[in-house]
Every structure is written in C-alpha cells, then in structure tokens.
Amino acid sequence: MTNQATSPPTTAETTAETTADLWSSIDALWTWLEENRPIDGDQGGLLLRILKLSEEVGEVAQAVIGATGQNPRKGVTHTWDDVQGELCDVVITALVALRTLTPDTREVFARHLARVTERSLGTAPAP
Ligand SMILES: [Mg+2]
C-alpha cells in the first residue's frame, strides 16, 4: 500500500484514475447533451451524434492538410498538436455516441477492445 501523503501515485494508480476520469467525463458530456437536445425524435440524439462524428473526422483531415501545408493558397495553418486535439475529439465524440446507444459504455468498449486486441495480437491483454 502506498502512502498517499508522501508518495507520488504509481503508474497503475494514475492509469486507474485517468480511466475513471475518462468514463465519468463521457457520462457527464452525455448528460449535458441529453439536457440540451435541440431536436426530438432522432432516436435519442444518436443520429446527430453520429453525424457529429463525421464532422470531427473531417476536422482531423483539415488539420493534417493544414499541418502539412498541402493547400498552396493557405500554406501551413495547423500544427501537429492541432491534429492530436482533433483526434481526441473523434474519440470523445465516438464514446459519447456509444454512451447514447448503451449505458454499459465502458463494458462494451472493454469487451470490443479485448476482441480486437486478441484478434490482432493473438492474446488478450492482461487485466
Ligand atoms: Mg474537432
């Protein structure tokens, strides 16, 4: 057992805390969206949240084009930090859409990640 007053958190403690923050933040964002849904009748907000995911993917492409200066008229308009931020937006938006589909977001994601990992690496990750 670590002494919380004098020892820095271990990597496992930091990872557990970050994971908890991730899922509680996704839940908080979903709750906020549910309380501020402008349109009723789109299957509980799911359709617009999936449409939002496409928008965020487009912003990743826009940032990569901007970071590499691919548009001669515009030049370099973004940084790779911008690309990182846009990729994070994609992940957040996807998890909020998943939360809209099921309250078991964390478990559904964990099972799927384990399946993908096992399929690709031939072994499930250690718990
Ligand atoms: Mg974005």
Side-chain angles (χ1 to χ4, degrees):
M1 180 173 204
T2 59
N3 182 340
Q4 294 290 324
T6 57
S7 302
T10 64
T11 301
E13 288 168 340
T14 303
T15 301
E17 197 171 293
T18 303
T19 302
D21 285 349
L22 169 69
W23 296 110
S24 59
S25 294
I26 294 300
D27 238 14
L29 289 167
W30 172 79
T31 300
W32 172 68
L33 288 170
E34 287 296 303
E35 292 170 353
N36 295 283
R37 216 172 345 132
I39 300 173
D40 283 329
D42 77 334
Q43 300 190 7
L46 180 62
L47 298 181
L48 284 176
R49 290 174 198 161
I50 289 175
L51 194 59
K52 177 70 177 167
L53 183 57
S54 292
E55 180 192 40
E56 294 297 347
V57 170
E59 290 176 4
V60 172
Q62 183 180 29
V64 170
I65 289 168
T68 55
Q70 289 301 299
N71 184 336
R73 183 174 57 81
K74 294 181 179 176
V76 174
T77 58
H78 291 72
T79 67
W80 289 104
D81 283 348
D82 294 330
V83 176
Q84 289 178 19
E86 297 300 346
L87 286 169
C88 291
D89 284 351
V90 169
V91 173
I92 293 165
T93 304
L95 290 178
V96 170
L98 182 60
R99 173 61 185 88
T100 303
L101 198 56
T102 174
D104 301 325
T105 319
R106 184 179 186 156
E107 295 78 15
V108 168
F109 185 80
R111 277 196 308 269
H112 190 81
L113 180 61
R115 275 197 304 271
V116 169
T117 304
E118 187 167 2
R119 183 180 65 213
S120 299
L121 304 177
T123 180

